[in-house]
Amino acid sequence: MIKVLLVDDDFLVRTFLSRITDWEKHGYTLVGAAQDGEEALHLVEEYQPDIIITDISMPVMDGIELIRRLKQDGNTANIIALSCHDDFEYVKEAMKLGINEYVLKNLLTEESLLKLLDEMKRSIVSTNKGGLQFDAPDEEREYYLQLLKGGKQKPEDSFFTSAAMAVSILNYDTRVAMMPMEQQKKFHFSFAQICREACQNVLSVRCVHVQRGLYAVLLDFAGIPSVYERREKIQQYASAAVRYAEQYLAVSVCIGTSRVEGFQADTQQCWQEAKDALNERFYAPQTVFYGWQMQTSGKEIPAIARQFSENIADYIDRKEGGTIRQQWEAVLEEFRLQHTQQWLVAEWLRQTDRKAGLPQRIIPDKLEDFRGLESAYVTFKEEMLPELDNYSNAVSQTVRYLQQNHTRDASLQDAAEQVHLNPAYLSHIFSKETGITFSEYLLSCRINTAKELLAHTGDKIRDVGEQSGFRDYRNFCKTFKRVTGVTPQNYRKQCN
């Protein structure tokens, strides 16, 4: 996108110019609108526009002084000067300073402005690193998406990818997805602009929106032979991108980078390395992950995980709660050792839940949060336990105690007092004989009661939680969803 800065002291003129055309549709992005030359200089320093459209006669600092200062600083932006009929002397001075074009305000139209801008765009693109011109943003995006997938680079494209960053917006669903479609498009342009600014030199950076909340930032390090310097650069870029995203767009991001040792252009390989590094967020609480520090991601579901998924229905039928818990921990550890790609772990959980007969549930975005999810497989209904005669007297009495008291503050200590045993010993024999722990059975009683109340009463959700033995409303909703896969509200809807 070609960056354009507007400068005019008249608010109505600034508004007219900002609305004269659909800038982004034609391949331009407005980076700001200044009311005098002094403010314009600050915006130029911050955004480095490619084209500046400025009035000549302004208070504080007029257009002539602005142009003079820009030329003294070596700024190469194309300049279009706006003038009135009585500004002829100003126009002559501006021409001497080296402006590209001047336009009479009263003759300015969308068509005439776009004609000027397009001529400048061709000049800008031809001198830019890359040498490619696209007729529309969608065309540019499609080209780079194909490169990410291994497509061929155009012969006239002199931009050679030697490193990449995969940038993921963590709060995309709450911050961006709720926007109307037009606002989302503007957000994508703004985010890409921020990424380019974070990388300092827009001539050696390409940024493309890949999919929901994921962006690819491609870097050309051809002029930097030192691997150490490349690493230092990409660390600076990633750190700046995190700050800028939070500061300017109020979004939180996580970044994975490729390695930087390669000197041959291979966009697909760099992109894959960056995504592999980004996958590490599933295993570690960091914000930026550097490819040269990462181990290779596992691209297959481990055998022990596949076996667990195949056997889960049998484990449940046989009520082998202990086996489920042990195998679950072993599976999570294997995922960690192999650094299995996050999407594979998510798919494995979906398959396992389906085979266990559970409804689809929200999948955590951290492996650590998978701990405890196995409780959904070992939380059995009361009636699924064998006849109480199959248990010892102490365990049978404990089961009855929980069935009768689970809606109150039932505890292992109270149950142990009922059967005159040490709490630790009661916990041991209860788990050994039933296949599930005391707390898991207590939870199953409460969840089952909540289901009955949700299905057959119109009581408020908060009241249902209290009547089922949950003293904290938020904990009830969170626990119910973790165990059943749906919220209490959605469970009630399914029953109606």
Side-chain angles (χ1 to χ4, degrees):
M1 298 290 284
I2 302 298
K3 294 181 291 182
V4 180
L5 173 66
L6 305 178
V7 189
D8 199 295
D9 64 307
D10 191 323
F11 172 76
L12 294 178
V13 174
R14 293 199 305 273
T15 303
F16 167 72
L17 289 173
S18 65
R19 298 177 179 176
I20 194 172
T21 189
D22 187 339
W23 294 92
E24 292 172 353
K25 176 182 177 182
H26 297 286
Y28 304 95
T29 180
L30 287 180
V31 297
Q35 60 184 349
D36 57 58
E38 192 172 273
E39 182 181 0
L41 286 176
H42 292 297
L43 293 176
V44 168
E45 182 178 359
E46 182 174 357
Y47 293 107
Q48 296 296 311
D50 303 296
I51 299 174
I52 299 173
I53 303 175
T54 180
D55 187 14
I56 290 182
S57 178
M58 294 182 294
V60 183
M61 180 188 291
D62 63 21
I64 297 299
E65 182 60 23
L66 169 63
I67 296 167
R68 182 179 289 111
R69 294 277 292 273
L70 290 171
K71 296 301 180 181
Q72 288 175 351
D73 293 341
N75 190 285
T76 58
N78 285 254
I79 299 175
I80 299 175
L82 302 178
S83 69
C84 298
H85 288 293
D86 57 356
D87 287 338
F88 184 66
E89 292 301 321
Y90 281 106
V91 171
K92 286 198 302 183
E93 183 66 22
M95 296 296 287
K96 289 179 183 179
L97 290 172
I99 63 171
N100 299 86
E101 292 288 347
Y102 81 91
V103 179
L104 294 176
K105 289 184 180 181
N106 63 321
L107 299 180
L108 186 63
T109 64
E110 178 185 18
E111 183 179 359
S112 63
L113 178 61
L114 285 175
K115 184 177 179 180
L116 280 177
L117 291 173
D118 287 344
E119 290 176 358
M120 291 183 177
K121 183 201 289 187
R122 283 191 287 273
S123 173
I124 292 169
V125 171
S126 66
T127 56
N128 266 1
K129 190 172 184 59
L132 286 181
Q133 181 178 355
F134 299 94
D135 293 331
D138 288 343
E139 180 185 340
E140 181 179 8
R141 177 172 182 260
E142 184 59 32
Y143 172 68
Y144 287 108
L145 286 178
Q146 290 303 315
L147 290 185
L148 297 179
K149 297 174 183 176
K152 291 185 178 181
Q153 188 165 328
K154 293 182 179 180
E156 65 271 27
D157 186 1
S158 58
F159 179 92
F160 296 105
T161 303
S162 47
M165 298 194 302
V167 185
S168 174
I169 298 180
L170 303 180
N171 54 344
Y172 186 87
D173 287 339
T174 57
R175 179 68 182 86
V176 184
M178 306 299 290
M179 297 178 179
M181 191 56 65
E182 283 303 312
Q183 283 187 297
Q184 288 189 36
K185 289 181 180 179
K186 291 180 180 179
F187 177 90
H188 295 321
F189 285 123
S190 298
F191 191 82
Q193 180 67 26
I194 278 178
C195 290
R196 287 192 291 267
E197 293 297 334
C199 298
Q200 300 173 7
N201 184 357
V202 296
L203 302 185
S204 59
V205 180
R206 301 291 184 267
C207 182
V208 58
H209 176 222
V210 179
Q211 62 187 43
R212 188 181 183 89
L214 181 63
Y215 298 78
V217 179
L218 308 178
L219 303 167
D220 187 341
F221 283 152
I224 306 177
S226 166
V227 171
Y228 173 81
E229 190 175 353
R230 289 182 175 202
R231 288 181 177 178
E232 189 176 53
K233 287 286 186 184
I234 208 168
Q235 286 172 335
Q236 293 173 357
Y237 296 166
S239 179
V242 172
R243 293 197 313 274
Y244 289 179
E246 180 66 38
Q247 181 178 352
Y248 297 114
L249 293 177
V251 293
S252 301
V253 301
C254 181
I255 299 176
T257 83
S258 68
R259 295 177 298 159
V260 295
E261 290 80 5
F263 291 87
Q264 297 298 320
D266 192 337
T267 304
Q268 184 181 27
Q269 180 180 342
C270 288
W271 177 235
Q272 187 59 56
E273 289 176 357
K275 288 193 297 180
D276 285 349
L278 185 61
N279 180 68
E280 287 300 298
R281 180 180 176 271
F282 187 57
Y283 297 95
Q286 294 174 220
T287 302
V288 182
F289 300 88
Y290 300 105
W292 57 88
Q293 298 175 346
M294 300 297 111
Q295 69 178 69
T296 304
S297 296
K299 301 194 171 45
E300 292 184 358
I301 296 176
I304 187 175
R306 293 198 302 271
Q307 184 178 7
F308 179 89
S309 185
E310 291 296 327
N311 294 337
I312 186 61
D314 291 336
Y315 291 153
I316 293 175
D317 288 342
R318 296 195 297 266
K319 302 175 181 59
E320 297 182 11
T323 300
I324 291 175
R325 285 189 293 273
Q326 292 172 5
Q327 289 293 310
W328 184 264
E329 288 299 318
V331 167
L332 296 188
E333 182 60 23
E334 191 64 24
F335 281 140
R336 186 181 302 280
L337 290 174
Q338 296 192 21
H339 282 236
T340 307
Q341 291 187 350
Q342 181 178 355
W343 73 271
L344 287 174
V345 181
E347 181 57 31
W348 167 81
L349 181 60
R350 292 190 190 97
Q351 293 177 7
T352 306
D353 281 353
R354 282 196 296 269
K355 291 177 180 178
L358 293 181
Q360 185 173 342
R361 50 181 163 173
I362 294 178
I363 298 175
D365 58 5
K366 295 286 185 67
L367 184 67
E368 187 62 32
D369 294 334
F370 275 66
R371 299 190 181 281
L373 294 185
E374 78 280 8
S375 62
Y377 307 132
V378 296
T379 302
F380 308 110
K381 294 181 180 179
E382 303 94 299
E383 59 267 24
M384 291 180 66
L385 290 175
E387 294 296 326
L388 295 185
D389 292 342
N390 295 338
Y391 299 131
S392 65
N393 184 53
V395 171
S396 296
Q397 289 185 52
T398 302
V399 169
R400 291 193 185 94
Y401 166 80
L402 289 175
Q403 291 175 347
Q404 296 169 5
N405 296 279
H406 65 271
T407 60
R408 296 190 286 272
D409 293 327
S411 68
L412 178 61
Q413 180 69 40
D414 291 340
E417 291 178 0
Q418 295 284 329
V419 296
H420 308 291
L421 289 177
N422 177 277
Y425 180 68
L426 175 61
S427 175
H428 170 72
I429 63 172
F430 188 95
S431 178
K432 182 177 180 181
E433 294 184 26
T434 66
I436 61 175
T437 66
F438 178 92
S439 60
E440 287 168 347
Y441 187 66
L442 173 58
L443 178 61
S444 73
C445 293
R446 289 173 172 169
I447 292 294
N448 201 46
T449 297
K451 287 180 178 180
E452 292 295 321
L453 292 172
L454 290 168
H456 300 110
T457 75
D459 295 346
K460 294 181 179 179
I461 303 298
R462 183 182 299 275
D463 294 337
V464 168
E466 291 180 357
Q467 294 168 33
S468 304
F470 295 92
R471 298 294 171 253
D472 181 86
Y473 172 67
R474 290 186 178 180
N475 180 55
F476 166 60
C477 293
K478 181 179 180 180
T479 303
F480 190 94
K481 187 172 184 177
R482 174 173 60 81
V483 172
T484 67
V486 294
T487 63
Q489 293 91 334
N490 287 337
Y491 182 83
R492 171 171 276 170
K493 289 179 182 179
Q494 293 174 0
C495 294
N496 294 334

